[in-house]
Amino acid sequence: MARLDEKRAVLLVVDIQERLLPVVQRPDGLLDRITFLISACRVLSVPILVTEQSPEKLGPTVEQIRQALGDAYRPLVKASFSPFAGNEFRRSLASLGRHQILLCGIEAHVCVTQAGLDALKMGWEVFLARDAVSSRFEPDTEVSLFRLAASGAHIVTSEMAVYEMIRGADHQHFRSVQDLVKRYAAKR
């Protein structure tokens, strides 16, 4: 069974945009979980890629996510549901030299599922953060999780993923990660 590794992982944040976020299930909790993942990945120097689906229609990435990303906010714009359909995305991902994708975003049954399936088809290890994906309707999210798991993706939670990357309390960033866990646990 594969384990997330901070030296091999990339966080992929899919389409957390102004017009999409308000219509999905539990948008506030979703936003907090994704912000936690971004914050932890920044502490651990895990690269982060962000996609935006037709931002001229759906708006940009929401402000809370843009703030969490800081100077790492460089969205990759897409028209296809899967970011893998775009050459710029594939080049950006390949340039990182990593082999694992920690996946979060919306909508789970469309863009997130298609990204995960394409990543698996291309040989990536995919980890889907269950508490950091959502759709408008819960059955869509659940079927997405089932389909990705059946296809070979590993279903994790955001906190599970971060602790898996640091492995133990002797990690140099353990205290920083623990502080983030405590800060965001209050928002769960």
Side-chain angles (χ1 to χ4, degrees):
M1 174 82 47
R3 289 178 60 175
L4 268 168
D5 182 330
E6 69 180 306
K7 303 287 188 224
R8 298 180 62 219
V10 174
L11 176 63
L12 175 54
V13 181
V14 177
D15 306 346
I16 308 300
Q17 294 169 256
E18 290 177 348
R19 292 199 183 125
L20 291 175
L21 183 65
V23 300
V24 300
Q25 297 288 310
R26 53 184 187 71
D28 293 336
L30 176 73
L31 203 52
D32 288 339
R33 292 288 83 204
I34 293 172
T35 303
F36 164 73
L37 278 174
I38 290 168
S39 300
C41 285
R42 291 195 72 184
V43 165
L44 298 174
S45 298
V46 171
I48 303 167
L49 294 178
V50 177
T51 66
E52 291 181 353
Q53 178 76 31
S54 304
E56 69 283 358
K57 296 176 185 169
L58 299 174
T61 298
V62 297
E63 181 64 24
Q64 182 175 330
I65 299 297
R66 290 195 316 258
Q67 286 180 359
L69 288 163
D71 61 357
Y73 175 64
R74 290 183 292 288
L76 297 161
V77 174
K78 62 187 182 67
S80 296
F81 296 133
S82 173
F84 284 90
N87 290 330
E88 182 184 5
F89 175 82
R90 287 195 314 272
R91 277 193 302 272
S92 295
L93 188 59
S95 74
L96 299 172
R98 302 210 170 198
H99 304 286
Q100 296 179 329
I101 292 178
L102 176 55
L103 186 55
C104 65
I106 52 182
E107 285 201 72
H109 66 297
V110 183
C111 297
V112 173
T113 294
Q114 290 186 35
L117 291 173
D118 282 350
L120 289 163
K121 183 179 178 181
M122 297 173 117
W124 287 81
E125 291 178 86
V126 175
F127 296 80
L128 181 68
R130 167 57 186 109
D131 55 346
V133 296
S134 189
S135 293
R136 286 170 290 155
F137 304 104
E138 195 61 32
D140 288 328
T141 303
E142 293 308 315
V143 171
S144 168
L145 296 169
F146 177 79
R147 183 164 182 209
L148 284 167
S151 298
H154 307 282
I155 309 302
V156 296
T157 66
S158 54
E159 193 171 310
M160 178 191 297
V162 171
Y163 277 121
E164 194 166 300
M165 284 192 281
I166 66 170
R167 301 275 195 256
D170 58 345
H171 190 281
Q172 66 178 351
H173 296 298
F174 172 73
R175 285 275 174 231
S176 297
V177 166
Q178 192 175 38
D179 290 344
L180 287 170
V181 167
K182 288 177 184 176
R183 183 167 84 206
Y184 285 97
K187 298 180 178 189
R188 285 183 104 167

